[in-house]
Amino acid sequence: MTVLNNDIFLLISEHIYDQQDKTRLLLVCRDWYSLFLPKVYRRVSLKSDQIYPLVRSIQKNPRIGPSIRHLWVEWEGGHDSDEGAGIEIDELLKTLGTSESDESLDEWKAALRFGCADAWLVVLVLSVEFVKSMDMNASYSGYFFPMLGQIIKGNAFGSKPPLQHLEIASVWTDDMKTHYMANDLLPFFSLPAMREFNGGGICEFEDDNSEEPVVTVSGPGTSKITTINIGGHHSNNGCKGMADFIHSCANLEIFDYQHDNKAIWGEIYLDIRPLLFYRALYSHRHSLRELRLNNQGEDESIGFDEGNDGRWNGFGSLAEFHQLRELQIPFCTLLQFGTTNQPRVSLVEILPSSLEYLNLSYCDDENFDLVIKNLSALLARREQFPNIKKLEVKPLFVERIQGVLGEFRVPASTQQRFAPIGMICRELGIDFGFNMHGTHRLL
């Protein structure tokens, strides 16, 4: 019988996707165990009741922890593992660099003995030294995020800091009634290898001056994160313009934020405050390449935000953002309508010559003439905007296609109104069209 080369075995294993099937490879023989162990544990997906068993496996086999590069964790609050109850913690604490006499960690240590999955996640993260990406749906965390902050600040454990190789962190929730506090997630911006932060269900509170950012443990402008994506289909509410996140970065290149008026379900509702986002992003005018600001989020004021008296409804010029290539933003925000029905500026005044793709979102029928006028002026200044390759208009109102579930179209009247713009774009070699992705209202 011909013995296959180990490289061939590894190539074959690339086509095994089920985690249980991968684990079975380890049971064939000792040679396969040694060969496939790093492969099997390279990507790990866990539910809450699997956190403690994995930690136990890592303690028994130190090769497992360093093999984990991508960690996906999801749990529901209050889920405890009976397996962890009554476990001897002393040796574990010594391994982590703390001791039984450390009273500041008493509550966490008690949670470990009780088998709390959230408490054991702290131990897991301290055990995966070379993890590069973490994807977490953990909105009910009572220990992990506070403990992570203490660890990174050096206030907990004597061992070397965790997550030093982490490049991508994704923290989100699919429950509209839950949220994360932005301040609890700031420690991620202090990690040395971090390049991308993704979040959903993140909220800021007005518990201090809304215009004063809170610096991270490493100080402002020190994070190497270049991408902040707080968008997608998860609700967020940044009443301070996510300034703490933005100011933490040295050279932010991509920023995506989608707003939800709900900050805390049933308690706090806050409108978006564009000016605070602009003030924070202005410090990255030398590096920002893509900006998507509430082009899919909630754009209507709900009238409950008494703290927003109009001071933060404006925006500012992007003419100095010389690296900006993509811009997706509500038309009224970009042209600084504020509380009036008239724009304060024009597109040719506030857009940079570097722009390649412009998406004007939430264009109301009553503003179509203004949109067309501004686009016409923009296209007439081809020498000022030589890089424009694509223009899109996102109508506020669309119509449902009868008989087709979940499908919509731009009304014929809207298409006719913008036909002259489409004709000019074709002559100039610019792609023009309508965008219906994300939130919209039906006719």
Side-chain angles (χ1 to χ4, degrees):
M1 178 178 176
T2 303
V3 178
L4 295 178
N5 186 282
N6 284 343
D7 291 337
I8 297 177
F9 280 127
L10 290 172
L11 286 173
I12 294 174
S13 70
E14 291 286 348
H15 300 278
I16 301 176
Y17 303 107
D18 185 79
Q19 186 65 32
Q20 287 189 339
D21 290 340
K22 291 180 180 180
T23 305
R24 291 188 183 101
L25 295 176
L26 305 180
L27 304 177
V28 175
C29 62
R30 290 183 179 181
D31 289 340
W32 278 32
Y33 183 90
S34 178
L35 176 65
F36 289 116
L37 187 141
K39 192 83 169 179
V40 169
Y41 284 100
R42 185 175 183 84
R43 295 181 179 274
V44 174
S45 298
L46 296 173
K47 297 292 186 180
S48 54
D49 59 347
Q50 298 172 311
I51 294 174
Y52 171 74
L54 179 59
V55 172
R56 183 182 58 189
S57 297
I58 293 174
Q59 295 293 318
K60 292 181 178 179
N61 187 345
R63 288 186 60 198
I64 295 177
S67 299
I68 297 175
R69 295 292 190 273
H70 309 281
L71 182 63
W72 189 94
V73 181
E74 180 177 12
W75 79 81
E76 298 177 356
H79 185 100
D80 301 321
S81 171
D82 293 336
E83 292 183 273
I87 189 173
E88 286 294 330
I89 303 296
D90 293 356
E91 291 301 319
L92 175 63
L93 294 176
K94 292 179 182 178
T95 303
L96 298 178
T98 186
S99 67
E100 183 67 18
S101 60
D102 193 338
E103 296 181 0
S104 65
L105 303 176
D106 282 350
E107 185 178 350
W108 171 71
K109 288 181 286 189
L112 286 178
R113 291 191 173 89
F114 189 67
C116 175
D118 187 19
W120 278 102
L121 182 59
V122 179
V123 182
L124 176 59
V125 168
L126 289 168
S127 306
V128 290
E129 181 180 355
F130 298 106
V131 67
K132 290 187 175 182
S133 70
M134 290 178 59
D135 192 311
M136 310 187 71
N137 181 355
S139 57
Y140 290 102
S141 171
Y143 293 100
F144 177 68
F145 292 114
M147 288 291 291
L148 180 65
Q150 289 191 50
I151 293 168
I152 292 176
K153 291 177 183 177
N155 297 336
F157 310 126
S159 58
K160 59 183 177 181
L163 305 178
Q164 297 298 288
H165 298 274
L166 187 68
E167 299 175 1
I168 302 174
S170 300
V171 182
W172 55 279
T173 173
D174 51 8
D175 186 346
M176 64 187 302
K177 296 184 179 181
T178 62
H179 65 276
Y180 301 95
M181 292 309 303
N183 283 349
D184 289 340
L185 304 178
L186 273 174
F188 284 108
F189 287 75
S190 300
L191 297 172
M194 276 283 292
R195 297 295 182 272
E196 178 179 336
F197 177 82
N198 305 297
I202 300 177
C203 295
E204 294 180 306
F205 275 172
E206 291 184 296
D207 54 357
D208 53 15
N209 191 324
S210 296
E211 300 183 73
E212 292 296 327
V214 177
V215 299
T216 62
V217 293
S218 298
T222 56
S223 174
K224 295 181 180 178
I225 290 177
T226 58
T227 298
I228 298 177
N229 182 355
I230 316 177
H233 302 289
H234 310 296
S235 59
N236 306 279
N237 191 295
C239 68
K240 296 190 290 185
M242 294 296 173
D244 297 340
F245 288 177
I246 296 171
H247 284 303
S248 297
C249 301
N251 295 289
L252 187 61
E253 297 179 3
I254 299 173
F255 184 76
D256 187 327
Y257 171 82
Q258 307 302 327
H259 184 78
D260 189 326
N261 288 334
K262 172 193 66 65
I264 301 211
W265 180 269
E267 295 182 26
I268 300 175
Y269 295 84
L270 301 170
D271 300 336
I272 188 171
R273 301 171 175 183
L275 184 57
L276 296 183
F277 285 92
Y278 176 80
R279 289 177 177 176
L281 290 168
Y282 188 76
S283 61
H284 296 281
R285 60 192 181 280
H286 65 287
S287 60
L288 194 66
R289 294 189 293 105
E290 299 177 18
L291 173 58
R292 293 177 284 277
L293 183 62
N294 203 38
N295 56 295
Q296 298 178 41
E298 204 162 6
D299 69 301
E300 268 194 314
S301 173
I302 54 176
F304 296 152
D305 187 358
E306 297 178 357
N308 186 6
D309 55 7
R311 287 178 294 166
W312 302 307
N313 285 342
F315 203 62
S317 173
L318 298 171
E320 296 181 51
F321 287 65
H322 299 304
Q323 299 300 319
L324 193 63
R325 301 292 188 269
E326 175 182 331
L327 176 61
Q328 300 192 48
I329 190 171
F331 175 72
C332 291
T333 297
L334 182 60
L335 266 62
Q336 305 174 33
F337 276 57
T339 56
T340 69
N341 292 323
Q342 293 297 320
R344 300 174 185 172
V345 293
S346 66
L347 290 181
V348 294
E349 292 179 82
I350 60 173
L351 293 181
S353 59
S354 58
L355 199 64
E356 298 177 0
Y357 169 37
L358 173 63
N359 178 306
L360 298 176
S361 304
Y362 300 130
C363 297
D364 198 345
D365 294 31
E366 64 183 27
N367 291 324
F368 279 174
D369 288 341
L370 282 171
V371 177
I372 293 170
K373 177 183 177 181
N374 274 270
L375 288 178
S376 298
L378 181 71
L379 294 170
R381 300 280 191 95
R382 188 59 170 163
E383 71 285 350
Q384 182 179 344
F385 303 99
N387 299 303
I388 293 287
K389 297 181 175 64
K390 185 175 182 179
L391 293 176
E392 281 187 341
V393 170
K394 180 179 180 181
L396 183 60
F397 295 98
V398 297
E399 59 186 15
R400 193 187 306 275
I401 299 177
Q402 296 297 325
V404 183
L405 183 63
E407 291 294 330
F408 309 92
R409 65 188 171 199
V410 176
S413 59
T414 300
Q415 297 186 44
Q416 187 175 359
R417 294 276 294 275
F418 283 89
I421 296 296
M423 185 179 299
I424 297 173
C425 285
R426 283 193 296 273
E427 293 175 355
L428 296 176
I430 297 173
D431 183 15
F432 174 78
F434 298 96
N435 184 298
M436 292 187 294
H437 184 59
T439 303
H440 52 255
R441 295 178 213 146
L442 299 179
L443 286 175

